[in-house]
Amino acid sequence: MTFNILIVGVGGQGVLLASRVFGEAAMSEGHEVAMSEVHGMAQRGGSVSAVVRFGRGTISPLIPKAGADLILGFEPVETYRALQYANENTMIVTDVQKIIPITVTAGSESYPEVEKLITAMRDAGFSVLPLEATRLAEKAGSKLTVNSVLIGAVSALKGFPLSEESLRSALIASVPEKAKKINEQAFDLGREAVKL
Amino acid sequence: MSKERLNLVPQGTKALMLANEAIARACLEAGVAVAATYPGTPSSEIGGYLESMSKHTGMYFEYSINEKVALEVGAAAAVSGLRSFVFFKHVGLNVASDPFMSLGYVGVRKGMVVLSADDPSMHSSQNEQDSRFYARLAGVPMIEPATPAEAKEMVHVGFEISEKLETPVLLRTSTRVNHARGIVELRALPNISRKGHFEKDPFRFVPVPAVARKGRIRQLECMKSALAISEESPLNFEIGDGSVGIIASGVAYTYAKEFIEDACILKLGFTWPLPEYKVKKFLRRFDRVIVFEELAPLVEEHVQRMAREEGCQTQVLGKLSGHLPMAFEYTPDTVLALREQISVKNMKKTPKFESIPLPTRPPVLCAGCPHRATFYAVKKALNGREAIFSTDIGCYTLGLNPPLNSADFLLCMGSSVGAAGGFAESTDQKVIAFIGDSTLFHSGIPGIINAVFNKHHFLLVVLDNGTTAMTGHQPHPGTGRSSPSPTTPVDIEMMLKGLGVHNIGTVDPYDLSATIQAIKTALDTDEFSAIISRRPCPLALMRRGKLERKAFIIDKSKCVRCRTCFTKFTCPALSWDGIDVSIISELCIGCGCCAQVCPKRAIEVSK
Ligand code: SF4
Ligand code: SF4
């Protein structure tokens, strides 16, 4: 068995940090882990994605098309862009907060309605869980805790194979001392949002 | 795992590491005494780890001025009895190729591993050349890992081979290895001695023709021994059994292993020289053999030759047969191209979904980036006049995109200056060369000397942000930040003066009107001139906790919604909701440039 996570978002949002939390949690539960991440150019506000795979006999750092078991989107357009990696059983969790790319600001392209993106995903038969993650992060005390909200949300998903405890402790270990408290709060807000 | 913790973890611990981190750790475990690099993605992070870990272990580590120098530093250590490690990205090996070609002739005395990181699909490079050709060209053995765990172990094997044969070993990685993370096991750290001793032997180490002829023979003998090692090496092994044979190397092996069924894989980790005997024996057992490798059909060509030599009817499939793609990186889906030939693991399907046009999201210059201000000032100074922008490798290459449009030509590190000289001689257009501070030191200097000497007339703009920003803020000679203790920074103005440049101006790009004025003046002089546009990279300051933010806001009562700030300056911290322009407070660093751009002075510091 292999579980494949694809995390997508925009450079600077904490996609890489989130992927590391999943990787560390999987390792702590005794899984084999293979991961891949993007460096360099893509960190400057471009599209970013990271792959986390765990289970038995997993060695390749990338996943095939339609091969994701979970797509965790930090930004709705980026989530939609990643759909080719989803199948009908893929869990899709996405923040609904838009981040407008420079191509739109400069007027050469346009940004679709977030509502429309969510509806189109549902119409195609995907199970998608839209979250107001950025808003919850603000509620926790800082917009910068979006990734903790999202990881918390994933920890509450039915059928997600890693435990709440290992995700929580991997997350807390990855943030600086003074930010531990608000990140834990953000994690809890994410969890609650899913349970509702 | 934090860099500091990394070198303290005890032997036997398992850790989840980026391959680059694992490679750095392996260097410590292998007792590397000297390591050198010029940063280049996907190899850059190795330097960050080595720099911080070397402080605790006594290893000497340096960011060299360029890859050629790095290789020379490493070679000197290795002939003096110290293990050395030199690393860079694939195009760095082009720069280092000159000394690399002779090193196989004279050889080394202690282990030397040279890592070249290829970038299939060009995630952050100007081309996707295949470093493996260099192993053949230089006559040195080469090994190729497939996973982070292998990358770590191969550093050790590399040093053993290097010492056995007294020759450098090329460790070829690729983006999906360097930037993969996996579980690795840590070994103990030995005590190392930092000082070696060079025993003179000029008739080996000074390749004048008579010596080089001996060296050539030495190198050929060495490769013969390397072949014998390759035949026996556990880095080349068979796995699985099935009716189809697959020969795979690098990260491509991982896709073959996971997604192809009913196949026997000959995994090659020691790929130059290829284990001829082993491959031939493998070929004889199958009707069909697929070669699975990234970039050039290097192994495939040899496999075809071996099949011919063996007189066997084995069909060899791969890039040359048209079954696999020549360009770009492989992914698990690449195996689908072989569906007709072999059985591929049942892959899932994506349900049909509406194709909604999505905006693209290219990387951009950061909020408050001083380069944006410089480019803006250059445009203003030109005031509609045309100019050729000869650009270089760094963040500022992103100025390519509209509305800045500040890049017209680029080849490689340092090419902006040399090419500008070429444009100045071959056209009547105004020519402006852009080069970053780190790139200037790396290889911009010879172009400047050439311009002065040959009286090329163009404007050189040095974008001095005080760091090597694109690859992760590594130091360079202009920063004075050196390991383990600081040195006197090289003064760019004095250096240019010393090279014979007379027209030198220094500006702060955040002061737009002064910058525009200085550039105007420089463009009007009729000799080679240089402007140093100096302002530290805000991202670097932020990381060191030294950025003093000011919050800027737009006064809606003064704003006439002309959107000048937004469309002409295009800082990513400016946003537009269809009616109003506003400043995204979390992104704005308070450089104040947009306030100077606004014709109505509607942007101001928030109180
Ligand atoms: S340039 Fe000034 S006046 Fe024009 S839209 Fe921007 S803030 Fe408003
Ligand atoms: S002050 Fe203006 S130009 Fe500078 S970072 Fe803030 S929004 Fe961008």
Side-chain angles (χ1 to χ4, degrees):
Chain A
M1 194 283 298
T2 301
F3 195 88
N4 297 329
I5 308 177
L6 177 64
I7 310 178
V8 296
V10 176
Q13 278 194 299
V15 166
L16 297 191
L17 189 82
S19 75
R20 241 169 287 165
V21 169
F22 286 110
E24 292 283 351
M27 182 171 83
S28 76
E29 293 193 17
H31 293 285
E32 285 172 35
V33 183
M35 297 170 57
S36 171
E37 46 198 62
V38 190
H39 291 230
M41 288 281 191
Q43 287 176 311
R44 284 164 177 81
S47 303
V48 188
S49 67
V51 167
V52 186
R53 316 183 63 223
F54 57 87
R56 295 229 136 265
T58 47
I59 55 163
S60 115
L62 297 179
I63 58 179
K65 299 264 161 69
D69 296 298
L70 166 69
I71 293 180
L72 182 57
F74 278 57
E75 204 279 345
V77 152
E78 296 310 317
T79 307
Y80 207 84
R81 217 193 291 284
L83 278 189
Q84 49 179 325
Y85 290 96
N87 58 58
E88 66 269 14
N89 297 320
T90 306
M91 316 173 193
I92 303 175
V93 178
T94 184
D95 190 355
V96 290
Q97 179 69 46
K98 310 191 244 189
I99 298 178
I100 309 285
I102 205 87
T103 45
V104 173
T105 356
S108 60
E109 297 182 84
S110 61
Y111 195 104
E113 289 297 324
V114 176
E115 273 304 308
K116 190 178 165 198
L117 295 175
I118 307 286
T119 317
M121 284 191 248
R122 291 200 165 131
D123 288 350
F126 293 112
S127 57
V128 45
L129 179 68
L131 277 182
E132 302 234 20
T134 304
R135 215 179 42 81
L136 291 174
E138 270 175 275
K139 201 169 143 196
S142 161
K143 268 193 183 177
L144 299 172
T145 62
V146 178
N147 48 14
S148 301
V149 173
L150 290 169
I151 294 167
V154 170
S155 79
L157 291 179
K158 244 198 221 94
F160 185 72
L162 299 176
S163 75
E164 181 200 338
E165 295 69 45
S166 56
L167 281 172
R168 189 187 291 270
S169 49
L171 171 71
I172 298 310
S174 74
V175 298
E177 197 57 48
K178 59 179 196 293
K180 286 195 193 308
K181 223 174 144 190
I182 63 166
N183 277 287
E184 194 148 12
Q185 228 158 340
F187 183 91
D188 288 331
L189 286 175
R191 265 188 83 77
E192 277 161 35
V194 170
K195 285 196 200 139
L196 286 179
Chain B
M1 183 167 302
S2 85
K3 293 174 189 174
E4 279 65 33
R5 243 182 74 205
L6 186 64
N7 86 88
L8 304 171
V9 244
Q11 173 177 14
T13 315
K14 285 193 173 167
L16 186 58
M17 283 186 180
L18 196 66
N20 280 348
E21 195 177 356
I23 288 164
R25 166 75 192 203
C27 286
L28 296 189
E29 294 172 354
V32 168
V34 171
T37 188
Y38 181 85
T41 309
S43 76
S44 313
E45 300 79 21
I46 303 174
Y49 291 115
L50 281 181
E51 185 186 13
S52 61
M53 297 188 300
S54 61
K55 293 191 180 109
H56 308 276
T57 65
M59 171 196 289
Y60 171 76
F61 169 76
E62 73 166 44
Y63 284 108
S64 305
I65 194 166
N66 63 30
E67 298 82 359
K68 177 178 178 303
V69 171
L71 193 101
E72 289 156 355
V73 167
V79 298
S80 306
L82 298 178
R83 278 192 170 184
S84 74
F85 183 70
V86 175
F87 56 102
F88 28 66
K89 67 186 297 179
H90 61 306
V91 287
L93 187 48
N94 297 341
V95 179
S97 62
D98 212 0
F100 193 59
M101 288 306 129
S102 311
L103 196 54
Y105 280 47
V106 300
V108 294
R109 281 185 171 132
K110 198 77 180 178
M112 176 168 179
V113 173
V114 178
L115 178 146
S116 181
D118 284 0
D119 190 16
S121 280
M122 299 158 279
H123 296 280
S124 50
S125 307
Q126 65 267 43
N127 64 35
E128 62 168 12
Q129 68 186 43
D130 192 324
S131 287
R132 298 178 301 167
F133 288 105
Y134 276 108
R136 186 173 177 186
L137 193 57
V140 302
M142 172 178 67
I143 50 183
E144 289 183 70
T147 63
E150 274 194 9
K152 184 165 178 296
E153 283 318 296
M154 280 199 195
V155 170
H156 291 283
V157 179
F159 280 111
E160 283 156 25
I161 299 168
S162 170
E163 274 162 20
K164 202 170 219 165
L165 300 174
E166 294 202 7
T167 189
V169 166
L170 185 66
L171 178 63
R172 185 249 193 173
T173 58
S174 66
T175 306
R176 297 297 181 183
V177 174
N178 293 92
H179 289 164
R181 217 173 260 276
I183 300 174
V184 299
E185 208 175 307
L186 308 183
R187 298 192 194 181
L189 302 184
N191 287 324
I192 54 168
S193 80
R194 246 295 296 283
K195 300 288 174 201
H197 178 74
F198 178 61
E199 294 287 346
K200 293 183 187 195
D201 186 356
F203 293 95
R204 170 173 170 189
F205 290 113
V206 187
V208 293
V211 176
R213 278 181 215 119
K214 273 195 343 200
R216 173 69 173 143
I217 300 300
R218 198 201 87 88
Q219 176 210 41
L220 290 170
E221 292 291 327
C222 173
M223 286 312 275
K224 221 186 255 168
S225 317
L227 178 61
I229 299 177
S230 177
E231 296 287 6
E232 298 298 319
S233 171
L235 299 186
N236 303 321
F237 59 86
E238 269 183 40
I239 184 164
D241 56 343
S243 55
V244 182
I246 292 179
I247 299 177
S249 60
V251 71
Y253 161 74
T254 67
Y255 309 136
K257 178 170 179 255
E258 256 197 81
F259 300 101
I260 297 176
E261 288 177 327
D262 187 31
C264 173
I265 306 179
L266 173 59
K267 150 72 154 95
L268 297 179
F270 199 138
T271 41
W272 191 259
L274 281 167
E276 299 255 336
Y277 178 73
K278 218 176 226 171
V279 172
K280 283 177 176 168
K281 220 172 74 187
F282 187 78
L283 280 174
R284 284 198 298 266
R285 283 170 34 213
F286 297 95
D287 297 334
R288 220 183 302 145
V289 162
I290 296 159
V291 183
F292 214 61
E293 64 186 320
E294 278 185 320
L295 296 183
L298 187 99
V299 174
E300 190 181 343
E301 279 179 7
H302 286 277
V303 167
Q304 286 203 349
R305 182 217 357 117
M306 289 181 217
R308 264 199 318 278
E309 279 174 13
E310 284 301 280
C312 58
Q313 298 305 308
T314 313
Q315 201 189 355
V316 179
L317 305 182
K319 294 169 189 280
L320 294 171
S321 67
H323 290 89
L324 288 166
M326 213 44 111
F328 309 140
E329 68 178 356
Y330 282 7
T331 69
D333 294 295
T334 308
V335 301
L336 292 177
L338 300 165
R339 239 192 205 139
E340 312 268 287
Q341 276 70 35
I342 51 172
S343 73
V344 172
K345 228 184 221 166
N346 214 353
M347 291 212 195
K348 297 186 179 108
K349 285 224 168 64
T350 303
K352 280 216 165 36
F353 57 92
E354 192 186 341
S355 95
I356 299 174
L358 302 175
T360 50
R361 196 185 294 275
V364 291
L365 294 171
C366 303
C369 174
H371 301 329
R372 176 182 294 103
T374 309
F375 291 143
Y376 181 85
V378 168
K379 290 245 124 136
K380 278 278 164 195
L382 280 166
N383 193 18
R385 276 180 300 168
E386 192 213 42
I388 301 174
F389 300 124
S390 187
T391 194
D392 225 298
I393 307 267
C395 291
Y396 47 94
T397 326
L398 296 173
L400 163 81
N401 295 315
L404 298 168
N405 307 93
S406 57
D408 295 320
F409 190 75
L410 166 73
L411 288 175
C412 61
M413 292 285 290
S415 73
S416 64
V417 193
F423 286 123
E425 286 307 308
S426 31
T427 71
D428 285 328
Q429 293 155 287
K430 284 252 172 252
V431 180
I432 301 179
F434 293 112
I435 193 165
D437 40 344
S438 191
T439 310
L440 173 77
F441 290 114
H442 177 283
S443 46
I445 296 168
I448 296 175
I449 300 173
N450 187 59
V452 171
F453 175 62
N454 289 305
K455 302 200 186 64
H456 296 318
H457 170 204
F458 61 91
L459 169 62
L460 173 73
V461 178
V462 179
L463 300 157
D464 181 3
N465 62 2
T467 186
T468 316
M470 186 90 242
T471 46
H473 302 104
Q474 294 85 354
H476 61 66
T479 65
R481 201 154 47 90
S482 172
S483 179
S485 56
T487 49
T488 314
V490 175
D491 183 311
I492 296 180
E493 283 85 339
M494 292 234 294
M495 180 179 85
L496 293 179
K497 248 184 222 141
L499 297 180
V501 182
H502 301 306
N503 274 300
I504 307 170
T506 304
V507 294
D508 173 359
Y510 282 0
D511 184 345
L512 282 176
S513 61
T515 305
I516 294 166
Q517 197 45 53
I519 292 168
K520 266 193 188 145
T521 314
L523 283 172
D524 289 339
T525 52
D526 51 3
E527 59 175 331
F528 176 81
S529 49
I531 298 262
I532 296 137
S533 184
R534 179 171 293 139
R535 183 43 95 153
C537 167
L539 211 62
L541 292 181
M542 215 181 305
R543 287 198 184 154
R544 277 183 263 151
K546 286 192 180 150
L547 185 75
E548 286 165 28
R549 275 171 191 260
K550 255 183 278 162
F552 274 73
I553 49 160
I554 298 183
D555 181 342
K556 285 199 180 132
S557 66
K558 289 192 201 155
C559 172
V560 295
R561 292 164 185 89
C562 67
R563 296 171 66 218
T564 310
C565 55
F566 187 69
T567 54
K568 298 270 165 45
F569 200 65
T570 329
C571 170
L574 291 163
S575 78
W576 182 56
D577 60 7
I579 304 160
D580 282 323
V581 177
S582 59
I583 290 181
I584 309 168
S585 59
E586 307 90 65
L587 292 180
C588 172
I589 63 138
C591 70
C593 291
C594 57
Q596 299 169 58
V597 167
C598 169
K600 295 291 171 202
R601 298 271 166 232
I603 305 179
E604 52 199 34
V605 184
S606 102
K607 278 156 221 120

